[in-house]
Amino acid sequence: MTVPSEEPGMEHCVFIQANDKQQLGALVAQYALRRNSKHNDRFDIRIMHYDDFPILREHEGQMYLRDGEWRRWVRDDLQSFTPTRFLPPQLMNYQGRSIVIDPDIFALADIWELFSRDMQGKAVMCRPKSGNKGKRGCLATSVMLMDNAKLTHWKFEEQFHAMFEGIRDYMPWVCLKYEDAETIGLFEPEWNDFDHLDENTRMLHNTKRKTQPWKTGLPVDFRAADSFRLFPPKHWFRRARRALFGDYGLAGRYRAHPDPNQEAFFFGLVRECLDQGVITEDLLREEMAKNHLRHDALELLDRTPPLARAGNL
């Protein structure tokens, strides 16, 4: 199955990953990018939905290599879109620059500042992951700035298939460990700010899935990593729970985000999306019925104050 390339167009494009569970986030993320840019005539935005790429569906139910173990590939996972973050250079015929972001990342700054920066000859720019993964050298590919012409070795079909053949491991792939370190540059953490919001934040990433502000109170619908490790024992529990009760059985519920300002920011964006006609109340109700959006969202919108920034739409 061939992955289609983009028709020739602008030389700069932001790609937002999405699936059914994260489509609302992707729409809000797209709005935030446009809202906060003064250069909207200089770049495109494309939402890459899981269902846009038949190659992903072809492997439904098959086993792939992840962190040294075999795991089943399923569409119905919160982050089933993740491999598509390596598609933009190919989609743009290896021309121009692209930025890829997860659908739970919301701009507070002009994305053109990132597009137009000096990459100093690097093919990719991103930031390190935090915590233990960061200590092990994993890079956060949830926001990447890419010089597409320098990434002609990114052959998505071949590399995606290789996970199912045991040739390529998902974790080193998404951590950029298969890349020459000399071709990777680092940008400031503020361009992918992990659950941290202050006056310096350029792109807010609600990366802790258990506390994403739009999911509070809903049953958990993501599969936590369960690679075998002796410590901490939580990995033993995850494996046993999944074997006995399925992917989401006894997984608990989403918790409130510890920072109320991040909740207010997200729902302030949603409120503007409603006012601008970007999304409709019917869509919000549909998302609530599917348990993709917290059930008190409309009541929360009623008491959410307008965002301070005026926007540029």
Side-chain angles (χ1 to χ4, degrees):
M1 178 63 66
T2 301
V3 175
S5 296
E6 289 283 81
E7 292 298 322
M10 291 189 181
E11 292 187 352
H12 299 83
C13 185
V14 182
F15 292 84
I16 306 172
Q17 302 170 94
N19 56 20
D20 286 349
K21 292 183 177 183
Q22 298 277 43
Q23 181 68 8
L24 176 62
L27 292 172
V28 177
Q30 179 177 351
Y31 172 80
L33 288 164
R34 291 297 186 199
R35 176 192 191 272
N36 291 303
S37 180
K38 296 180 180 178
H39 302 86
N40 280 303
D41 60 333
R42 305 188 71 174
F43 64 91
D44 289 324
I45 300 177
R46 174 178 172 181
I47 294 177
M48 296 189 296
H49 192 284
Y50 181 99
D51 290 343
D52 293 339
F53 304 102
I55 186 175
L56 302 181
R57 298 197 302 272
E58 286 177 2
H59 288 279
E60 182 70 24
Q62 297 179 18
M63 306 300 287
Y64 71 100
L65 191 61
R66 176 172 176 147
D67 210 9
E69 295 212 354
W70 291 96
R71 189 168 181 179
R72 195 171 304 280
W73 178 259
V74 295
R75 176 184 182 276
D76 186 32
D77 185 62
L78 193 66
Q79 292 181 298
S80 60
F81 51 74
T82 302
T84 65
R85 63 183 55 168
F86 296 102
L87 260 170
Q90 187 172 339
L91 293 176
M92 294 185 70
N93 296 314
Y94 303 105
Q95 299 173 20
R97 287 188 177 188
S98 53
I99 293 172
V100 68
I101 68 172
D102 280 1
D104 52 7
I105 296 176
F106 310 103
L108 291 95
D110 192 337
I111 195 66
W112 189 251
E113 296 176 24
L114 191 57
F115 263 132
S116 59
R117 73 184 301 156
D118 181 3
M119 294 183 70
Q120 299 182 337
K122 304 296 186 182
V124 181
M125 295 190 76
C126 56
R127 65 158 289 180
K129 273 189 170 287
S130 58
N132 290 331
K133 288 183 179 178
K135 292 176 183 176
R136 295 195 294 265
C138 185
L139 297 174
T141 53
S142 43
V143 177
M144 286 191 288
L145 170 64
M146 294 164 280
D147 184 338
N148 298 322
K150 291 182 168 65
L151 293 167
T152 55
H153 61 289
W154 284 17
K155 306 295 185 183
F156 182 77
E157 294 165 285
E158 173 186 327
Q159 291 160 356
F160 182 73
H161 285 310
M163 291 197 306
F164 299 87
E165 298 166 355
I167 299 171
R168 177 169 289 245
D169 189 308
Y170 170 95
M171 286 307 300
W173 190 21
V174 299
C175 289
L176 292 183
K177 290 186 177 181
Y178 292 125
E179 299 300 309
D180 180 351
E182 294 298 315
T183 68
I184 303 171
L186 301 179
F187 53 55
E188 301 78 13
E190 290 80 12
W191 283 106
N192 189 1
D193 224 346
F194 301 155
D195 286 284
H196 174 262
L197 176 62
D198 65 17
E199 66 276 4
N200 297 314
T201 300
R202 317 302 284 166
M203 302 264 282
L204 173 64
H205 187 177
N206 289 131
T207 187
K208 293 181 181 178
R209 292 172 292 180
K210 199 71 176 282
T211 59
Q212 289 183 328
W214 55 94
K215 305 280 280 187
T216 304
L218 297 177
V220 164
D221 59 352
F222 64 85
R223 299 187 300 163
D226 65 348
S227 296
F228 179 75
R229 299 187 182 99
L230 290 177
F231 295 98
K234 65 182 180 181
H235 294 286
W236 310 350
F237 171 76
R238 285 175 182 168
R239 293 167 70 91
R241 175 188 58 77
R242 182 172 295 165
L244 292 171
F245 303 105
D247 284 337
Y248 312 130
L250 300 185
R253 292 183 177 271
Y254 287 90
R255 302 191 300 266
H257 198 285
D259 180 4
N261 290 327
Q262 294 184 44
E263 179 181 283
F265 175 61
F266 176 79
F267 281 98
L269 289 173
V270 174
R271 178 174 169 169
E272 290 187 8
C273 285
L274 281 170
D275 292 342
Q276 297 283 344
V278 174
I279 60 177
T280 65
E281 186 173 319
D282 285 344
L283 174 62
L284 295 182
R285 292 187 184 279
E286 290 173 8
E287 293 296 287
M288 286 188 281
K290 296 174 182 176
N291 274 351
H292 298 165
L293 177 65
R294 56 193 290 178
H295 294 170
D296 63 345
L298 294 178
E299 292 82 359
L300 189 57
L301 284 171
D302 286 339
R303 59 179 186 267
T304 297
L307 294 179
R309 300 179 66 173
N312 301 299
L313 287 182

